[in-house]
Amino acid sequence: MSDTDTTPKPIQASLFDEAPAGQHAPSSSGSSVARVKVEQTDLELDYLIPTDLEDRVKPGTRVYVPLQNQKVAAVVIDLPKASSTKFKLKPIAQVIGRDASFTPALLKLAAWVADYYLCSQHQVLRTMLPQAVRQKPESFIKDSRLTLHKPISPADLEKLRGKAPMQARVIDLLSDRGGTATLSELRKQHPHASRFLAPLLKKEYIVRAEVRVERDPHADEEFLPTTPLKFTEEQETCYKAVVKAIDSPESAKPMLLYGVTGSGKTEVFLQAIAHTLEQGKTALVLVPEISLTPQTIERFKARFSEKRDRIAVLHSHLSEGERHDEWFKVHERRADIVIGARSAIFAPLENLGIIIVDEEHEPSYKQDETPRYQARDVAVVRAKLEGCAVLLATATPSLESYQNARTGKYDLLRMTRRTDGKRMPLIRIVDLRLRRKKGGESPDTRILSEQLRTAILDRLAKNEQIILFLNRRGYNTSLSCPSCSETIKCQDCDIPMTLHRADDRLICHICGARRLVPRKCPKCSDPGIAFAGYGTERAEEVLKKAFPTARIARVDTDVMQKKNQLRDTLREFRSQKLDMLIGTQMIAKGLDFPNVTLVGVLNADQALNLPDIRAAERTFQLLTQVAGRAGRGEVMGEVIVQTFSPHTPAIQFSRQADFEGYADQECEQRQAFSYPPFSHMLIIMSRSKQANLAEFTLQTLNSRLRQDLPEGTIMGEPSPCALSKAHGQYRFQLIMRAASIRPLARHVRKVLKELTIPPDVIVTCDVDPMQMM
C-alpha cells in the first residue's frame, strides 16, 4: 500500500443507477450539481443539490452523501454547470455545519499541497480540520445566563430572606456581579443555585437565556497591557519594509527578517500586526515549538489588550474542546489574530493582511506524517493565494530561505544589533578532550566542567539566573556489556534504550516501549553490564548535588506533562523564584529572561555526528539560539559550550555568531554535491515487518523509476535507513534530487499509480525532507 495519491481523478460518477441512454445528469428538473471529495478516500464524485440546500451548498462545505448504501462525509470542491457522467445522480443527504468549513483560498491551497507533497487531496483536507471539528462539528457547551429583570424593593427582599433565604442569595449574588451571571458561575458560590431558580423565574425577578460557553485556554489569566516600544534605526527600517508589503501585497516578495537574538524582532511583529488590524485585516503568527506559545500569547494579549478576546490560539496541547472552540472562533470571524504551531497555517482566517513565521529555520515546521508539508513553505504559497504579506523571521535562517534571499526571490531585512545597545554574549569553548588526556575525568566532571561549575557559583552569588541546555532526555542513554559489547536495544527499533531513573525502566524514545533494567548481560550473563551517557534527568541530579541551595527546575517532556505546567514553570523562572533551568530544546529558543546572564551547553556534539546533511546546520542553529538566551538584560551574558569537537565549523562560527560565514562555507559544500538548497530532495521509503519484502519493493520501484527519469535527476540506490528499524518495521530508502521538484513528482506519482505494492508494505514519499534518518 502507499500513502501517495495514485487514484485516478476525477471519477465524476455517483456509482449508483445508470441514467437512460443519451441522457446526462442532472435530470430535466434543473437541479444543481456539486462535485465532492469523499473523506477517507480520494473519490471525486458528483451529486445533486436538493432545492432546500441550494443556498447552503458551496465550495468548501462539508456534506453527507450516499455512497454504496452508506452515508459518508465529503467536501464540496466545485459547483460545475452540469455533470458529464452517464449515471443518475443521487442527492446530497445533509449539510454539516452552518457555513463552509474551507475558504476558497484554502481549497486551492489543499490542491497545491496535495500536488507538491505527493499525497491525496482528501488527506490534506482532513489535516486542515482539527479532529474535534471533524468528529463533533459545532459541539459547543451550553449554559444559562441569568439576569435580574423585575426590580425588587428592599422590603420585599428582606421578606424573601426570611421565607426563602436561598432565593434571596441568588439575587444577592447576581447583584454583586452587576446583575448578570451564568448558572455555572453562580454554582461556584452557591452549589445548589439551580434548585431555587423556578420561583424567581415565575415571579420574573430574573430571566434566563441559553448561551454558548467558550472553552478559553487562557480565560483565568490576567495580562498587563503594554505599549509600543521606540524602534531602533534598524527596527524602523525593517518595519517600514513590512508595512509597505502589507499595504501593497500584489508587488511584494516574501520577506526574510534576519535579526540577531535580542534585536527586537517580536516588537516589529507586534507593530506590523497593529498596522494590519488598522487596515481592517487579520494576522496569522506561526511559532515552531509549543514552548514558545505561552510567552508569545502573553506578549500578544498584553499588547492587544483591548482585543484579547479576538486572539485565537491553535496548537496540539489544547484539550479537544478548547481546540474545537478556538477553531470556531476563527471560522466565525470572531478572531483577528491567530497564534499557533505548524497546523495553524490552515486556520480559516479571511481577509489576511500578514502571515508571520517566527524561527522559520525550525525543523518542527515539517510534518513527519502524511501529508508531509513544510509549514514555512506553505505559508509562502498561502500568502500568494490570499494576496497578503509574508514575513519569515529568525536569528539563524535556514539555508533554503537564505539562498532564496541571495538570489532575489525573497527580500532580505537585517537587524544586526541588539536593542538598547546590549552586547552579544561572550562565548567560551570548553574542550572536554583535555580533561580526558589529563586523566581527571569523572562522570560528574564530564557533565559539569570546572569552568562551568565556577561560572554557575559566581552567578548564584550575584542572584543572577542560569539556563543549562542538554538535548537528551533520561538518566543514562545506553546500557552495554564491557565483555561482549552487547548494547540493550529496543526489540522494535534499532536504537539503544534509555534509562529513566524515576520510572526505573529502560524506555525507547522512538516507540515508547518499556522494559525492566537487566542486572546482567542478556547475551553473556556478565553482571558487569554498565550504563553510559547522560540525559537531563542525570544532569539535574548532578546539579542539585553540586549546588544544594539552588532552586533548580527541569524542563523536558518527561516532567512537563500536566496542562499549563510549562507555562507555570517559565513564569516562576521569570519572577526569579527559580535560579536555574536545565532542559532540552524546549528552552533553547525564543524565550526572553532579562536576569539570565549565563547559558551552559552541556554537550554540543550530540547532533553533529548524525548521518544527515543538516546535522552541522542544526548544531550551528541550536548553539546560536541557546546562546541568545543570555545577556538580554543590563548585565552582559556569558555562554559556556562543552564539546569534544571544538574545531568543528558549526561550533567555531556559532562562537562568533557569524551566520553568514557559516552559510558561505556550508553552501559551498552543498553546491559541490547538488544538495539542498541547490536542489530539491525526495526520499521514497518502504517499510514492512518483513525486511526482504520492504527491500524488494523498493528495488522494484527503483528499476521502474529509472525508466523515463526526468533529465537532470540524481538518483541513489535503495539502502537501509540510518534508523533501519522503527515500530517493528524494517525501513529502506531511495534518495532522489532534482533542480525542479514538479517533473520528478509527476514521474514518481505515475510510477506509483502503475505499480502494485504488496499489502504488507507501506511506501511513503517525503518531498523536501528535513531529516534523513
Side-chain angles (χ1 to χ4, degrees):
M1 61 181 291
S2 168
D3 68 356
T4 301
D5 174 22
T6 59
T7 310
K9 302 190 292 187
I11 293 179
Q12 295 185 2
S14 67
L15 303 186
F16 291 99
D17 304 327
E18 189 170 342
Q23 180 178 326
H24 290 273
S27 64
S28 57
S29 62
S31 299
S32 302
V33 176
R35 184 158 297 150
V36 306
K37 184 75 68 172
V38 179
E39 296 181 9
Q40 306 297 332
T41 75
D42 207 44
L43 290 175
E44 194 171 289
L45 307 174
D46 289 351
Y47 287 88
L48 293 178
I49 304 176
T51 304
D52 61 329
L53 297 180
E54 283 186 346
D55 292 339
R56 299 180 61 194
V57 174
K58 55 186 176 181
T61 303
R62 295 182 73 219
V63 295
Y64 284 119
V65 295
L67 180 64
Q68 296 178 340
N69 299 320
Q70 298 182 62
K71 192 167 74 170
V72 298
V75 178
V76 177
I77 60 172
D78 192 17
L79 298 178
K81 292 181 179 179
S83 175
S84 59
T85 179
K86 64 181 180 179
F87 293 96
K88 182 179 178 182
L89 300 184
K90 293 288 187 179
I92 290 173
Q94 180 183 343
V95 171
I96 303 174
R98 288 171 291 177
D99 300 302
S101 298
F102 304 94
T103 65
L106 285 178
L107 285 180
K108 293 178 182 178
L109 186 65
W112 182 89
V113 170
D115 180 61
Y116 187 89
Y117 291 104
L118 278 171
C119 59
S120 59
Q121 195 171 344
H122 85 87
Q123 291 171 320
V124 183
L125 292 170
R126 181 180 176 84
T127 299
M128 285 181 165
L129 289 182
Q131 181 176 338
V133 176
R134 290 198 314 269
Q135 295 182 347
K136 297 180 180 179
E138 302 192 14
S139 55
F140 300 102
I141 292 180
K142 302 293 184 181
D143 200 352
S144 295
R145 175 158 293 280
L146 305 173
T147 305
L148 293 177
H149 179 58
K150 181 179 177 181
I152 182 171
S153 66
D156 289 341
L157 184 57
E158 284 303 315
K159 290 180 182 179
L160 191 63
R161 291 190 206 283
K163 295 180 179 179
M166 291 303 179
Q167 294 180 33
R169 178 159 168 73
V170 170
I171 293 178
D172 289 338
L173 289 174
L174 286 174
S175 299
D176 292 342
R177 289 177 170 268
T180 184
T182 62
L183 181 57
S184 59
E185 289 171 341
L186 286 185
R187 282 173 175 162
K188 292 178 181 178
Q189 296 177 275
H190 190 349
H192 306 294
S194 55
R195 297 182 184 178
F196 308 102
L197 296 182
L200 296 175
L201 290 167
K202 185 176 181 180
K203 296 174 184 177
E204 297 185 352
Y205 286 140
I206 62 174
V207 292
R208 182 176 191 165
E210 187 179 72
V211 293
R212 182 195 298 180
V213 177
E214 295 286 347
R215 287 163 286 193
D216 184 351
H218 305 282
D220 298 331
E221 300 179 45
E222 293 186 8
F223 301 95
L224 297 178
T226 62
T227 56
L229 304 177
K230 184 178 179 180
F231 279 147
T232 64
E233 185 177 338
E234 288 184 328
Q235 284 177 310
E236 183 72 29
T237 300
C238 294
Y239 169 74
K240 288 180 178 178
V242 176
V243 165
K244 183 179 178 181
I246 294 169
D247 293 342
S248 305
E250 65 283 349
S251 59
K253 297 178 182 178
M255 295 167 288
L256 174 62
L257 175 54
Y258 162 40
V260 299
T261 56
S263 60
K265 295 184 291 294
T266 301
E267 186 63 28
V268 174
F269 301 166
L270 292 169
Q271 296 197 32
I273 290 173
H275 177 81
T276 302
L277 300 183
E278 288 171 3
Q279 307 306 307
K281 298 180 180 180
T282 60
L284 173 59
V285 183
L286 300 186
V287 290
E289 298 283 357
I290 202 59
S291 62
L292 293 180
T293 303
Q295 190 175 70
T296 303
I297 294 168
E298 182 178 340
R299 286 175 174 174
F300 276 76
K301 293 220 173 194
R303 178 62 57 87
F304 301 103
S305 56
E306 73 286 355
K307 285 181 171 286
R308 68 180 60 180
D309 292 334
R310 296 190 67 82
I311 298 176
V313 182
L314 295 171
H315 57 76
S316 59
H317 282 213
L318 299 178
S319 69
E320 288 293 290
E322 288 170 343
R323 294 184 76 185
H324 174 278
D325 289 2
E326 290 293 287
W327 187 89
F328 270 101
K329 179 191 283 190
V330 182
H331 182 250
E332 294 172 348
R333 302 183 184 182
R334 294 184 289 111
D336 299 318
I337 302 171
V338 171
I339 305 168
R342 179 179 60 228
S343 61
I345 189 56
F346 300 124
L349 267 177
E350 296 191 61
N351 197 25
L352 267 168
I354 189 170
I355 300 174
I356 296 173
V357 184
D358 194 17
E359 308 291 3
E360 64 85 26
H361 66 279
E362 269 295 305
S364 60
Y365 280 127
K366 186 74 160 74
Q367 174 111 324
D368 57 5
E369 58 186 26
T370 303
R372 290 174 167 78
Y373 65 92
Q374 164 59 268
R376 175 197 65 213
D377 298 339
V378 174
V380 173
V381 175
R382 182 172 184 185
K384 185 176 180 179
L385 293 172
E386 299 272 7
C388 73
V390 59
L391 178 65
L392 315 180
T394 178
T396 53
S398 64
L399 293 184
E400 287 80 3
S401 295
Y402 187 60
Q403 182 65 14
N404 281 334
R406 292 207 292 193
T407 58
K409 292 181 180 179
Y410 294 176
D411 283 335
L412 180 61
L413 312 178
R414 297 174 185 265
M415 287 163 46
T416 59
R417 294 184 295 275
R418 285 188 161 185
T419 57
D420 299 329
K422 300 184 184 76
R423 295 170 60 187
M424 296 296 290
L426 175 66
I427 300 179
R428 304 182 188 276
I429 305 297
V430 176
D431 188 348
L432 296 177
R433 298 174 303 173
L434 299 179
R435 182 168 294 278
R436 178 180 289 178
K437 291 177 181 177
K438 293 177 182 178
E441 184 181 59
S442 69
D444 285 3
T445 56
R446 176 178 287 197
I447 296 174
L448 202 61
S449 65
E450 189 58 37
Q451 294 95 320
L452 183 54
R453 181 191 299 267
T454 301
I456 291 174
L457 286 171
D458 177 63
R459 295 322 192 279
L460 292 175
K462 296 176 181 178
N463 291 321
E464 295 169 1
Q465 291 174 294
I466 303 106
I467 289 178
L468 299 178
F469 171 72
L470 177 63
N471 205 24
R472 182 69 63 86
R473 294 184 294 122
Y475 192 87
N476 294 115
T477 56
S478 65
L479 178 60
S480 57
C481 177
S483 298
C484 68
S485 301
E486 173 76 2
T487 297
I488 307 301
K489 291 187 176 183
C490 174
Q491 294 180 347
D492 292 326
C493 307
D494 187 29
I495 63 163
M497 301 190 78
T498 299
L499 173 66
H500 287 250
R501 179 66 65 84
D503 301 316
D504 195 26
R505 292 290 188 276
L506 293 175
I507 299 178
C508 173
H509 285 180
I510 298 294
C511 69
R514 303 161 69 93
R515 62 175 289 183
L516 294 172
V517 181
R519 302 306 172 192
K520 59 183 179 180
C521 175
K523 184 176 181 180
C524 70
S525 299
D526 187 341
I529 192 167
F531 291 101
Y534 61 93
T536 49
E537 187 181 8
R538 169 76 170 132
E540 180 188 28
E541 181 182 271
V542 169
L543 289 167
K544 287 184 174 180
K545 178 180 176 183
F547 312 105
T549 61
R551 298 164 297 177
I552 301 171
R554 174 157 56 103
V555 179
D556 58 31
T557 54
D558 292 330
V559 292
M560 297 290 133
Q561 295 186 348
K562 294 180 181 179
K563 187 176 180 180
N564 297 329
Q565 189 173 0
L566 173 62
R567 181 197 68 188
D568 295 342
T569 300
L570 295 180
R571 285 184 176 174
E572 286 183 359
F573 191 65
R574 176 177 291 280
S575 61
Q576 300 183 31
K577 295 178 181 178
L578 295 170
D579 301 311
M580 198 182 316
L581 291 183
I582 166 71
T584 59
Q585 62 180 347
M586 295 175 75
I587 60 169
K589 57 191 80 70
L591 300 175
D592 188 352
F593 300 111
N595 197 45
V596 172
T597 59
L598 176 66
V599 167
V601 180
L602 301 187
N603 186 349
D605 307 324
Q606 286 179 326
L608 268 176
N609 300 317
L610 294 175
D612 193 314
I613 62 166
R614 290 187 174 85
E617 181 185 2
R618 286 204 194 100
T619 298
F620 172 84
Q621 291 168 342
L622 206 50
L623 291 179
T624 304
Q625 291 285 343
V626 73
R629 301 316 105 207
R632 287 175 169 254
E634 299 301 321
V635 181
M636 182 177 174
E638 181 182 7
V639 181
I640 295 179
V641 179
Q642 300 182 161
T643 175
F644 287 98
S645 310
H647 302 298
T648 302
I651 292 177
Q652 285 299 320
F653 280 110
S654 67
R655 182 182 185 182
Q656 305 298 328
D658 184 5
F659 166 75
E660 292 179 81
Y662 173 76
D664 288 342
Q665 66 88 32
E666 182 71 15
C667 282
E668 184 178 349
Q669 295 183 34
R670 300 268 190 100
Q671 190 170 20
F673 294 97
S674 295
Y675 276 120
F678 301 97
S679 69
H680 287 274
M681 183 179 288
L682 192 160
I683 295 181
I684 301 177
M685 180 190 295
S686 68
R687 64 183 197 266
S688 173
K689 292 185 177 181
Q690 302 178 54
N692 58 348
L693 191 56
E695 184 177 20
F696 176 76
T697 300
L698 195 60
Q699 287 173 343
T700 303
L701 184 56
N702 172 54
S703 63
R704 300 282 182 89
L705 286 170
R706 291 185 183 275
Q707 302 171 20
D708 301 320
L709 193 65
E711 185 178 352
T713 300
I714 301 172
M715 190 168 174
E717 295 291 335
S719 60
C721 296
L723 179 61
S724 61
K725 186 181 181 184
H727 300 279
Q729 295 181 320
Y730 296 91
R731 298 148 41 97
F732 294 83
Q733 67 180 12
L734 176 63
I735 301 176
M736 310 172 75
R737 284 166 284 153
S740 175
I741 196 63
R742 292 301 179 88
L744 179 57
R746 282 194 293 267
H747 178 62
V748 171
R749 190 186 293 271
K750 179 176 178 291
V751 171
L752 284 173
K753 177 181 173 182
E754 296 170 349
L755 185 67
T756 300
I757 297 172
D760 294 335
V761 178
I762 297 174
V763 175
T764 59
C765 296
D766 193 357
V767 176
D768 297 335
M770 291 300 293
Q771 57 90 18
M772 301 173 66
M773 296 292 288

